[in-house]
Amino acid sequence: MGIPEPVGRQSDVAYLPAAGHHVVLGTAGTGKTVMAMLRALYLSDPGVAGSGRTLLVTYNNALVSYLKHFAGETDRLHIRTYGRFARGFLHHHGAMKGQAIASSPSRRRLIRSALRAVSSKYAAHKFFERDPGWFEDEIAWISGMGLRTWEAYEVVDRLGRRTPLSVSLRKVVWEITEEYRLQRAATGHAYDWHDMAAAVRDHQAADDGPRMYRHVIIDEGQDLSPEEIRSLAEVVDPEGSVTFFGDYAQQIYGQGMSWRACGLKVARVEMFKDNYRNSTAIAEFAIALSELPFFGRTDELVPPVAPRSKGSLPTLVACADRAQEIAVVRSTAQQLGQVGTVAVLGRTWADVDEACAGLAVRRIDKDQKFRWDYAPGVYCTTYHSAKGLEFDTVLMPFCSEDTVPLPEVVKALGLDDADERESKLLYVGITRAKSDLVITYSGTKTRLLPEGDGLYAEVQP
């Protein structure tokens, strides 16, 4: 199967100049991934003036597998997650000795140890009683923004978090960050997955040899941190190009940033609003969600233009209990999976596995390779791993008030920040559906879903 046929202005993006920085923003369904593949193939073609070794990079392995399925890899075109790129770059520079990268469990343990060490120096304060996940999230944000000094952290505009933090508390966070890094170094870990980008930039700055790539194309760029994007721009030949594709309505990793924060120098931003994926009914449901007050705003949000094909209304199924939700999902998936692609999407892998137990499914894990063929059948994955993908039908179970937003996220970040992040995840799930969308809940449905006559049909099993 080849790349889907480009529509409208999509093919024009492939032929943007082969030098400089370019930004392409579009809502879900505008074909950003198709455009990214077309541009990568064009810039890596040896017959094209200014072509050269090209990197097509994104956040997770599920989308990398999807890109490889359609575009394929060659010696001149590398398709990578950012993590794999950074690890390979640092290995090339001799900076990946031993267990250089702290695993997520090790990182979590070390941050909690640093929190205890710093809090012991202060009088008892409710700030230290916050869920450790809050501190893990803030330290990841500091690394992602490329903040290397207290002075930089003190004055930065803390985007992506609604609850303000006083200067005195920021100072404590910085102490915890430094203590964590000291403890991490003592265990032999030079980096974690969040601050590898800073190391890439340092090694590139010290290397006066040829750059690794002539061109870099970034797909789903809203999921990469500013420091990761800066590092990608710096490994490009000065005569080459960087092309950033993004949709800030799908920003689910808490950076709250604009491409302008990444140092890209762009004369013109290409904007795409025509939705070629979702039916009008599904697009209107997603638009209504994006207009709710807790969804959040950025100056880069591109409002969707609903397509012409109306389609059936999204269906919300009010179930008696969780067991009935599972029964609805399984029967619907089995029926529709015979004639089209059906995705069962969950907030966590535990939810996905519970909903899909007993079904013949293909599991799409963001941390594992996946072989695509897009044959009719049932696919299962999380909202996070579904980024960039599309299916004829999407089933979203367990969208109840007591499960969405996820209680663990509320505990870690507070209700306001959790509402914003979790509503963006719902947006991702909804906009994966081309024709049919079924959402189940038991008890009371989550308040994060939009209300309104004509937006959806609500039924009981």
Side-chain angles (χ1 to χ4, degrees), residues 14-37:
Y15 309 115
L16 289 170
H21 296 169
H22 309 280
V23 169
V24 182
L25 299 179
T27 185
T30 51
K32 296 181 298 299
T33 294
V34 171
M35 291 185 275
M37 288 189 284

Side-chain angles (χ1 to χ4, degrees), residues 70-132:
F70 286 106
E73 272 197 303
T74 67
D75 290 341
R76 292 171 64 90
L77 174 57
H78 297 170
I79 303 176
R80 305 279 191 269
T81 61
Y82 180 84
R84 183 183 174 192
F85 152 76
R87 188 171 54 192
F89 181 95
L90 294 172
H91 177 77
H92 176 75
H93 285 80
M96 283 293 294
K97 298 177 181 177
Q99 296 294 321
I101 307 172
S103 66
S104 295
S106 294
R107 177 180 181 273
R108 186 175 302 113
R109 175 179 54 80
L110 290 167
I111 288 176
R112 296 182 183 206
S113 174
L115 173 59
R116 290 192 297 270
V118 171
S119 64
S120 68
K121 302 176 185 178
Y122 289 85
H125 192 286
K126 64 180 181 180
F127 180 68
F128 295 112
E129 297 174 4
R130 291 192 177 193
D131 188 89

Side-chain angles (χ1 to χ4, degrees), residues 104-427:
S104 295
S106 294
R107 177 180 181 273
R108 186 175 302 113
R109 175 179 54 80
L110 290 167
I111 288 176
R112 296 182 183 206
S113 174
L115 173 59
R116 290 192 297 270
V118 171
S119 64
S120 68
K121 302 176 185 178
Y122 289 85
H125 192 286
K126 64 180 181 180
F127 180 68
F128 295 112
E129 297 174 4
R130 291 192 177 193
D131 188 89
W134 186 94
F135 295 94
E136 295 169 22
D137 183 78
E138 188 68 8
I139 291 172
W141 188 86
I142 288 169
S143 297
M145 292 298 291
L147 304 176
R148 304 200 185 199
T149 66
W150 155 244
E151 290 76 16
Y153 181 49
E154 179 184 16
V155 300
V156 71
D157 184 8
R158 178 52 171 103
L159 300 173
R161 193 183 294 287
R162 295 192 175 197
T163 307
L165 197 64
S166 67
V167 172
S168 61
L169 292 181
R170 283 196 187 202
K171 183 66 173 176
V172 175
V173 172
W174 189 256
E175 289 182 48
I176 295 169
T177 302
E178 290 188 314
E179 176 65 23
Y180 156 66
R181 289 172 176 169
L182 286 172
Q183 291 193 23
R184 189 184 70 196
T187 63
H189 302 307
Y191 330 103
D192 61 30
W193 290 104
H194 299 282
D195 60 10
M196 289 175 67
V200 170
R201 295 189 71 194
D202 288 344
H203 284 281
Q204 183 58 70
D207 184 356
D208 57 3
R211 301 294 175 88
M212 184 170 285
Y213 292 101
R214 176 85 175 189
H215 304 286
V216 167
I217 294 99
I218 305 167
D219 191 27
E220 299 291 349
Q222 74 279 351
D223 290 342
L224 299 184
S225 72
E227 192 74 343
E228 288 170 340
I229 293 168
R230 292 180 198 119
S231 71
L232 289 167
E234 289 169 2
V235 301
V236 170
D237 187 296
E239 302 300 318
S241 70
V242 177
T243 309
F244 174 102
F245 292 87
D247 174 8
Y248 284 87
Q250 297 185 59
Q251 186 177 40
I252 58 180
Y253 291 95
Q255 296 298 337
M257 61 87 179
S258 160
W259 60 266
R260 292 186 175 89
C262 307
L264 300 182
K265 299 178 176 64
V266 177
R268 173 184 172 184
V269 177
E270 301 291 334
M271 308 285 271
F272 285 80
K273 299 182 181 181
D274 294 320
N275 185 334
Y276 299 111
R277 175 192 301 144
N278 311 122
S279 68
T280 298
I282 291 171
E284 288 175 347
F285 191 66
I287 292 167
L289 172 60
S290 72
E291 291 174 344
L292 293 174
F294 42 71
F295 191 82
R297 293 290 183 270
T298 81
D299 60 354
E300 303 304 333
L301 185 63
V302 178
V305 175
R308 296 178 181 176
S309 173
K310 180 62 180 178
S312 57
L313 291 176
T315 302
L316 270 60
V317 185
C319 297
D321 51 32
R322 199 172 175 97
Q324 191 173 53
E325 288 190 65
I326 294 170
V328 168
V329 167
R330 291 177 183 171
S331 63
T332 306
Q334 286 177 325
Q335 177 184 357
L336 297 181
Q338 298 177 29
V339 294
T341 55
V342 177
V344 179
L345 305 183
R347 175 61 180 86
T348 67
W349 273 111
D351 286 345
V352 173
D353 291 340
E354 183 180 4
C356 294
L359 285 175
V361 300
R362 301 191 65 189
R363 183 183 172 101
I364 306 172
D365 194 324
K366 72 180 180 65
D367 296 322
Q368 299 176 1
K369 292 183 178 180
F370 182 83
R371 184 174 179 82
W372 285 95
D373 59 17
Y374 256 125
V378 182
Y379 301 74
C380 69
T381 190
T382 62
Y383 298 145
H384 287 88
S385 297
K387 295 295 298 295
L389 310 180
E390 62 182 28
F391 305 88
D392 296 321
T393 300
V394 166
L395 308 178
M396 296 169 56
F398 313 136
C399 290
S400 306
E401 182 66 18
D402 59 350
T403 54
V404 181
L406 193 68
E408 296 95 305
V409 177
V410 175
K411 182 181 178 183
L413 303 181
L415 185 60
D416 290 343
D417 287 334
D419 280 354
E420 181 171 339
R421 296 197 192 187
E422 299 287 291
S423 64
K424 286 182 167 63
L425 280 172
L426 290 175
Y427 181 94

